[in-house]
Amino acid sequence: MNWDEYDIETIAVRAGQSRTNEGEHSEAIFPTSSFVFDSAEHAAARFSGDEPGNIYSRFTNPTVRTFEQRLAAMEGGERCVATASGMAAILSTCMGLLKSGDHIVSSRAVFGTTVVLFNNFMAKFGVETSYVDLSDLSEWEAAIRPETKLLFLETPSNPLTQIVDVEALAKIARSKGCLLVVDNCFCTPALQQPLKQGADIVIHSATKYLDGQGRAIGGAVIGSEEIMADVYSFLRSAGPTMSPFNAWIFLKGLETLNIRMQAHSRNALKLASWLAQQPGVKTVNYPGLESHPQHELARRQQSGFGGVVSFEVEGGRAQAWKIINNTQICSITANLGDAKTTITHPATTTHGRLSDEDKAQAGITEGLIRVAVGLESVEDIKNDLKRGLA
Ligand SMILES: *Cc1c(COP(=O)(O)O)cnc(C)c1O
């Protein structure tokens, strides 16, 4: 099937499925570790690669393949490799594409564990990482060295929702001979398709919105056949593989992704607009607000603004904790991308490891609260926050 001719809503429901002889309507799960062959000749052809097909579920499983084909089509990429988690997706990308002496330039505002992976583990193997301000293109350009192989970022950033112009940065990456990697966890392909804007690789933590209901851990890497061959080769050798059960959960998640992301975005915009009018709220960060410094860029680059809102209250940690502790429906957790609204105090949880100086530089103040807006009634979420705000 050439899915290029179809809209993403259709791709999300249909792409990748191949039915068995049973005629099942929903996608089948194949919980098998290995596959059998008709003959010794058949086995040899599979192993030599002369005949494509299943061998062993560390690197070939039909349910996982269905998920990979569907997500690749949604992102507009040639090939997807599914992984055991979002971190396994980032690790597989680094291990597949980098060697000792190579260099990464990363946005400072990426997922905390990504920074740990770069600083504590990639560094052990001679891969150094420099950090730059996400939205400052001149900083990116200045940080690139002859040995730089990857530019790595998330847009919008967590929790301050800063944005980078992916198309402009992709041009810089191309002119310097590096690959642009976008962790598209926050927007998902329903709202933003970085490969179509010139990025080379898209990363996902499927754990977040792709599932969207907090049921399973998984990840994915999407890019050209050529790039993905190296990522897949690492996966096949090292085994950070997605299980068929999880692939099936994520397949079902993808089917509702578009309507969920629209609902998350709608609720988040209403909540952000309301928060901006509340006394005691100093600032609200949400790309959908006209007051957001990169609102125009967000409109151009994304087809929706996503579910994550952050806001800073007067009164620092005491007031932020009071608001969090007075909620009755919001879940107090650092997770996001769920039907259930989550509320987080970044300074003492997700960003708690940072020094005071790094927190200040990153804009993580004691009065900052992050809400990943879920699918409940937004009026109920407002009331939940109102108790502590009052
Ligand atoms: C959660 C997350 C990850 C890591 O994904 P896991 O599935 O938890 O390993 C990576 N990037 C972003 C932006 C995330 O939110």
Side-chain angles (χ1 to χ4, degrees):
M1 276 296 284
N2 180 12
W3 290 104
D4 293 350
E5 297 162 20
Y6 289 86
D7 289 331
I8 189 161
E9 291 83 353
T10 309
I11 297 170
V13 174
R14 294 283 174 181
Q17 184 174 9
S18 53
R19 294 202 169 91
T20 73
N21 290 335
E22 302 295 341
E24 71 283 0
H25 191 200
S26 178
E27 295 75 1
I29 310 180
F30 290 88
T32 178
S33 49
S34 65
F35 297 84
V36 294
F37 310 103
D38 301 335
S39 62
E41 289 80 0
H42 188 210
R46 284 278 171 85
F47 272 81
S48 70
D50 288 345
E51 184 197 291
N54 302 312
I55 298 176
Y56 186 60
S57 282
R58 183 176 353 98
F59 53 98
T60 53
N61 180 277
T63 318
V64 175
R65 190 160 53 245
T66 302
F67 168 74
E68 290 172 336
Q69 290 180 352
R70 188 169 296 178
L71 184 58
M74 289 175 75
E75 288 285 4
E78 288 175 0
R79 182 170 179 191
C80 168
V81 170
T83 56
S85 68
M87 291 319 303
I90 300 172
L91 175 69
S92 301
T93 303
C94 291
M95 295 301 279
L97 300 175
L98 301 178
K99 61 178 188 327
S100 178
D102 287 346
H103 176 242
I104 303 169
V105 181
S106 172
S107 159
R108 225 170 253 121
V110 291
F111 189 64
T113 312
T114 304
V115 175
V116 175
L117 178 70
F118 290 164
N119 291 358
N120 296 8
F121 295 97
M122 295 320 294
K124 273 210 308 202
F125 300 97
V127 174
E128 209 185 308
T129 306
S130 307
Y131 294 93
V132 297
D133 179 351
L134 172 67
S135 47
D136 187 342
L137 290 175
S138 61
E139 259 197 56
W140 284 98
E141 194 153 15
I144 295 172
R145 306 175 190 166
E147 62 273 24
T148 305
K149 283 281 162 58
L150 299 183
L151 309 186
F152 189 98
L153 62 91
E154 295 164 21
T155 181
S157 70
N158 176 20
L160 294 180
T161 73
Q162 293 165 315
I163 290 171
V164 70
D165 186 334
V166 172
E167 206 169 332
L169 189 58
K171 281 202 188 103
I172 294 173
R174 213 167 308 125
S175 75
K176 302 274 190 179
C178 4
L179 299 174
L180 177 58
V181 187
V182 176
D183 180 333
N184 200 25
C185 180
F186 270 48
C187 275
T188 81
L191 304 182
Q192 168 173 281
Q193 294 155 333
L195 297 176
K196 294 185 179 167
Q197 293 156 353
D200 300 287
I201 297 168
V202 161
I203 300 268
H204 276 288
S205 167
T207 316
K208 312 296 166 51
Y209 289 105
L210 300 193
D211 170 26
Q213 290 152 83
R215 297 169 292 194
I217 301 274
V221 189
I222 303 109
S224 67
E225 291 284 358
E226 188 189 345
I227 291 171
M228 295 315 296
D230 290 333
V231 176
Y232 181 69
S233 167
F234 174 76
L235 180 105
R236 180 173 177 154
S237 310
T241 308
M242 179 180 282
S243 83
F245 284 109
N246 285 5
W248 185 83
I249 290 171
F250 296 130
L251 271 169
K252 294 290 124 186
L254 290 181
E255 291 181 2
T256 57
L257 183 66
N258 291 289
I259 54 169
R260 282 189 288 108
M261 291 314 291
Q262 282 164 25
H264 282 294
S265 301
R266 202 162 50 234
N267 270 357
L269 180 59
K270 283 186 187 154
L271 188 75
S273 311
W274 174 81
L275 279 168
Q277 289 167 355
Q278 300 311 300
V281 174
K282 280 205 275 195
T283 49
V284 181
N285 307 304
Y286 186 65
L289 294 179
E290 276 170 30
S291 60
H292 189 285
Q294 296 163 300
H295 176 65
E296 281 312 313
L297 172 61
R299 287 189 84 93
R300 210 167 61 231
Q301 183 160 288
Q302 306 170 203
S303 61
F305 301 110
V308 179
V309 176
S310 66
F311 61 104
E312 189 181 353
V313 292
E314 285 162 11
R317 181 187 297 193
Q319 176 61 8
W321 281 19
K322 180 180 158 226
I323 292 166
I324 292 170
N325 288 337
N326 273 284
T327 59
Q328 290 172 0
I329 55 169
C330 292
S331 310
I332 305 172
T333 169
N335 197 22
L336 60 87
D338 201 287
K340 298 178 170 70
T341 297
T342 66
I343 190 163
T344 313
H345 185 242
T348 51
T349 59
T350 52
H351 293 68
R353 272 183 302 226
L354 298 185
S355 67
D356 287 348
E357 194 188 337
D358 287 346
K359 274 186 213 168
Q361 195 180 13
I364 310 296
T365 60
E366 289 288 331
L368 188 74
I369 294 173
R370 186 193 73 191
V371 178
V373 186
L375 303 177
E376 305 95 334
S377 146
V378 71
E379 295 308 317
D380 289 335
I381 300 165
K382 285 181 198 169
N383 288 332
D384 215 32
L385 296 174
K386 215 184 218 163
R387 262 190 303 277
L389 269 169

